[in-house]
Amino acid sequence: MQLDKFTDYALRVLMTLAIRAPARVPTSEIATLYGLSENHLSKVATRLAREGFVNSERGRSGGLTLARPAKDILVGDVVRAMKRNDPVVECFGTDKSCLILPACGLREPLARAQEAFFATLDRYTLADVTRSRTALAALLFA
């Protein structure tokens, strides 16, 4: 499986917040750090807030914070939430128009591969992937 940019950016936002916790970090600052569009990152932040991963406060002293400790956020949960409407192949979604669907032997292996992908990600928390806090902070905030 390949992560789309939206999911990649969501993971970067969460990692940045974990490194800076408990500080509130403006979306604009995160966008600048990674050289991303602030508008696009705002959409990512909105989705992360809606899914319960971050708290978002508006205003001059606003910004994002983790909604719960990094040790309680599974990477698999984040990826599932961000890719919710993005099936691996069309027939896993609402499009059932594939000619070979009734006899296709590929669906089961792909479904198993997708589940294995998420099962692997479920073994890691945000705290696990930001364990090198000092090194990450040095790279981000140099």
Side-chain angles (χ1 to χ4, degrees):
M1 278 193 68
Q2 182 175 357
L3 296 182
D4 58 10
K5 288 181 181 181
F6 196 84
T7 305
D8 175 25
Y9 297 166
L11 291 168
R12 291 193 218 183
V13 167
L14 291 173
M15 289 178 72
T16 303
L17 296 177
I19 293 162
R20 295 281 300 273
R24 187 175 299 124
V25 184
T27 305
S28 59
E29 182 178 328
I30 298 170
T32 300
L33 283 171
Y34 291 108
L36 303 173
S37 158
E38 186 177 343
N39 184 44
H40 189 65
L41 211 59
S42 292
K43 293 175 185 175
V44 171
T46 299
R47 180 78 150 299
L48 285 169
R50 189 175 341 123
E51 296 293 337
F53 295 111
V54 301
N55 294 318
S56 177
E57 292 190 33
R58 294 181 185 252
R60 192 170 138 167
S61 62
L64 304 172
T65 56
L66 293 177
R68 53 189 188 267
K71 69 179 181 58
D72 295 337
I73 298 175
L74 295 178
V75 174
D77 287 345
V78 175
V79 174
R80 276 187 195 88
M82 296 301 114
K83 293 185 68 64
R84 180 169 289 140
N85 298 319
D86 189 16
V88 174
V89 289
E90 291 175 3
C91 62
F92 285 7
T94 58
D95 184 354
K96 306 290 186 209
S97 64
C98 180
L99 179 65
I100 64 171
L101 186 62
C104 182
L106 193 54
R107 285 180 56 124
E108 183 179 344
L110 287 175
R112 287 183 182 204
Q114 180 179 8
E115 196 44 50
F117 175 79
F118 285 118
T120 299
L121 294 178
D122 286 339
R123 292 196 305 253
Y124 297 92
T125 66
L126 187 57
D128 294 330
V129 299
T130 56
R131 195 156 294 189
S132 301
R133 255 181 107 131
T134 305
L136 287 168
L139 292 168
L140 286 171
F141 309 109

